[in-house]
Amino acid sequence: MDYNQILDLVKNNVVEVTFTKLNGDKRVMTCTLIESYLPAATKDDAMSQKKVRELNTEAMSVWDVNANGWRSFRLDRVTNLVVPETE
């Protein structure tokens, strides 16, 4: 999947992303960019601000719903993407 496809997926779903960290560890992260999950923007948290910044299509910043924090992953290290089924 390319950057825009993954971006669309995380903007509309809570997604389970499996990827290999830079240190070689496997990581499974449940993440999203759905507005209702994101924290309110603050001056102290640059990631929460909706300002124009240079687009990096090699990595994606997302909200980790389990860690309640911003995390990122490199797209070339993603091994699996799953949208968990909701009941």
Side-chain angles (χ1 to χ4, degrees):
M1 295 182 93
D2 70 17
Y3 179 87
N4 290 322
Q5 291 171 314
I6 296 173
L7 182 62
D8 186 52
L9 198 61
V10 297
K11 279 187 170 183
N12 295 296
N13 303 279
V14 174
V15 180
E16 187 176 275
V17 180
T18 304
F19 60 97
T20 305
K21 294 172 47 172
L22 291 176
N23 68 2
D25 291 348
K26 178 182 168 184
R27 168 97 151 83
V28 179
M29 176 172 51
T30 304
C31 60
T32 191
L33 288 176
I34 296 173
E35 290 287 329
S36 62
Y37 283 86
L38 306 181
T42 65
K43 279 187 170 184
D44 296 332
D45 183 7
M47 291 299 297
S48 69
Q49 298 174 17
K50 287 186 177 181
K51 63 182 180 179
V52 177
R53 57 183 162 232
E54 187 176 328
L55 180 64
N56 178 357
T57 58
E58 294 176 5
M60 183 169 293
S61 295
V62 292
W63 183 256
D64 184 330
V65 298
N66 295 325
N68 287 321
W70 290 102
R71 303 291 186 268
S72 64
F73 57 88
R74 292 184 52 87
L75 275 62
D76 62 348
R77 295 181 168 268
V78 173
T79 56
N80 196 30
L81 284 165
V82 176
V83 178
E85 293 184 32
T86 56
E87 296 179 26

